[in-house]
Amino acid sequence: MWKVALFILGTGVMIGAVMPAHDVAAPGYEAVAAGSREPVETRIPRQRNGHFYVDATVNGQLVRFLVDTGATTVALTTEDADRIGEKVSPASFDVVGEGAGGAVRGERLMIESIEIEGKRVENVRGVVLEGLGQSLLGQNYLSRMGSVEMTADEMVIRPRTRTAG
């Protein structure tokens, strides 16, 4: 079990090292799209394995993520990429970084939108990684929230508040 946790953590750190730390869209409050609900605080309980998991709507499809505060970018499994309509072929994957076990292969992509309980972020850089067992929700989503706090038993993601103007 600790090997799986170490692999996931190492993958997140590796992604952080190889992906740019910014997104195409400017940071700041994201307008809630038509049909989406008003953003609310999201409380995520820590699971027995010590991780936090959250369900998000990605390009209109449900994806389960491990929340990885150490990952710079969102990383998808090939199955989740296919589910959201991104046709990737592992045969065409290129080296996208270097990990503890050597070269990491995958494909970079732009995700149209990721939404968790009304907290919608558009134009999110991502990567599909070969052999990834669980999609990872990284900082290029989390940093566009109002706040992300973690206690012993839960993580709380709060929406950015609207500013008058």
Side-chain angles (χ1 to χ4, degrees):
M1 187 62 140
W2 67 269
K3 288 181 181 179
V4 171
L6 186 59
F7 172 77
I8 290 172
L9 179 62
T11 300
V13 170
M14 184 282 308
I15 291 169
V18 300
M19 295 298 293
H22 64 281
D23 262 286
V24 169
Y29 185 80
E30 300 292 331
V32 177
S36 297
R37 62 183 177 179
E38 194 64 30
V40 297
E41 179 177 280
T42 300
R43 295 184 168 274
I44 308 167
R46 184 183 299 272
Q47 299 300 303
R48 276 201 228 138
N49 65 3
H51 297 294
F52 297 95
Y53 297 89
V54 67
D55 293 325
T57 303
V58 180
N59 295 357
Q61 300 299 315
L62 188 65
V63 173
R64 182 130 179 106
F65 284 100
L66 181 148
V67 181
D68 188 349
T69 59
T72 300
T73 194
V74 171
L76 297 172
T77 66
T78 55
E79 295 81 13
D80 286 340
D82 186 54
R83 182 179 310 109
I84 69 165
E86 294 290 339
K87 302 300 178 204
V88 296
S89 171
S92 65
F93 281 176
D94 291 322
V95 173
V96 294
E98 193 73 26
V104 176
R105 296 174 45 82
E107 183 175 319
R108 290 179 176 87
L109 70 152
M110 184 62 67
I111 300 168
E112 182 180 313
S113 67
I114 300 175
E115 183 174 340
I116 299 171
E117 295 185 325
K119 295 175 292 301
R120 182 182 175 99
V121 174
E122 296 179 347
N123 301 319
V124 180
R125 289 181 195 242
V127 64
V128 179
L129 294 180
E130 182 176 68
L132 186 64
Q134 175 70 55
S135 290
L136 307 174
L137 188 66
Q139 285 294 330
N140 59 342
Y141 176 87
L142 297 171
S143 67
R144 292 163 74 179
M145 297 297 102
S147 69
V148 179
E149 297 176 16
M150 187 170 29
T151 65
D153 296 323
E154 81 176 349
M155 179 179 288
V156 180
I157 303 173
R158 292 185 179 88
R160 189 173 302 273
T161 56
R162 295 180 191 258
T163 56

